[in-house]
Amino acid sequence: MKHGFTLIEIIVAVALFAAVMVVSVGAILSISDASRKAQGVRSAMDNLNFVLEAMAREMRVGSSYHCITGPALPVSPSGPEDCSDTGGSAITFLDSSGVRVWYTLSDGVIKKFEGTVLADASQLLEVTAPEITVDTLSFYVSGSLAGEGKQPRIWITVTGSAETGKRVRTEFQLQTTVSQRLIDS
């Protein structure tokens, strides 16, 4: 008596093996795609966190915070101005070396300007990555007025989305609070 496999048994075994391999390769490709998307989201969020941290670092050592509640352009601030209740769409302040710094939202991008008078939008430099779309940027300033004896504080809120790959949008909402190192007087 000869022992071996029939042709039918071999065909069934190969078909089962092929089906298992197709499912396995599909799972591996899905995991790889999810990893790429997660890396894209992480990169975009790292950029946004870096922008917020850079803004906070400048504000922390700055002074004379002026919250802009109306149109951001053109503005020549006369002095500090709080907006703790309504929030502002832009902010300007003096950095540690006395240079006026502006932050605002324009066309879905956080933009910055350093100088005395912000006359038009062409002076603004983009600070967020192209894959990030910012829907709202709000600044809430309190304690910036001279003689209040309060620690100036800025609360920043950002909402928007990050585009990472083929039609993948990740929504975000971030906020941070910055307090000045020295009390304004």
Side-chain angles (χ1 to χ4, degrees), residues 153-165:
R153 186 178 68 206
I154 303 109
W155 179 37
I156 307 167
T157 62
V158 182
T159 62
S161 60
E163 181 94 20
T164 55

Side-chain angles (χ1 to χ4, degrees), residues 58 91-95 99-103 112-115:
E58 281 185 307
I91 192 169
T92 180
F93 59 94
L94 298 176
D95 69 7
V99 175
R100 183 149 300 277
V101 177
W102 309 70
Y103 282 104
K112 175 183 180 181
F113 171 71
E114 293 180 1

Side-chain angles (χ1 to χ4, degrees), residues 11-31:
I11 290 173
V12 168
V14 168
L16 284 173
F17 176 76
V20 168
M21 290 308 296
V22 166
V23 169
S24 299
V25 167
I28 289 171
L29 291 176
S30 293
I31 290 170

